[in-house]
Amino acid sequence: MVAAGEALLTPAATRRLIERFTATPLSPADRLPESTPSRKILATLTDRERDVLARVARGMSNAEIAADLVLATSTIKTHLTNLLAKTEARDRAQLVIFAYESGLTTAP
């Protein structure tokens, strides 16, 4: 990934990023209305893609997601490929941001 010019974050770094991102919860005024592009994209995702995206947003690794959903790791990778394409995200970090911005996931 790095050789191709892409960013690579370890699961630990992704978890730290999520913790910092969620440290300041969004106020209702900061949340996206139902008709935003992120909400429209969210509506195109399959239920399983939403399941995977929610777990990515929690900082879970592919192996952890596979174990949690009782799927093969290769299946999780396929779902992630589809998610990256549908959301036009470059990496997992952008998927996490998308999950929060679209309202799929909220800060605890």
Side-chain angles (χ1 to χ4, degrees):
M1 286 181 65
V2 173
E6 299 293 328
L8 178 64
L9 292 176
T10 64
T14 303
R15 281 190 182 103
R16 285 193 304 275
L17 175 68
I18 293 166
E19 287 169 5
R20 288 194 183 197
F21 185 78
T22 61
T24 308
L26 294 175
S27 70
D30 293 330
R31 297 195 190 279
L32 294 173
E34 294 291 325
S35 62
T36 63
S38 292
R39 290 293 193 126
K40 289 178 183 175
I41 293 169
L42 184 62
T44 69
L45 302 181
T46 66
D47 289 341
R48 185 57 83 190
E49 287 169 343
R50 288 180 191 199
D51 292 342
V52 171
L53 180 56
R55 284 158 178 80
V56 168
R58 284 190 260 156
M60 295 174 76
S61 69
N62 291 355
E64 291 169 329
I65 297 169
D68 195 40
L69 296 177
V70 192
L71 296 170
T73 304
S74 60
T75 303
I76 300 306
K77 290 178 183 179
T78 299
H79 287 305
L80 285 171
T81 299
N82 294 340
L83 284 165
L84 290 168
K86 287 181 178 182
T87 62
E88 298 181 357
R90 286 189 314 252
D91 51 36
R92 288 176 87 98
Q94 285 190 336
L95 284 176
V96 170
I97 293 167
F98 174 83
Y100 281 91
E101 286 182 342
S102 67
L104 176 68
T105 303
T106 57

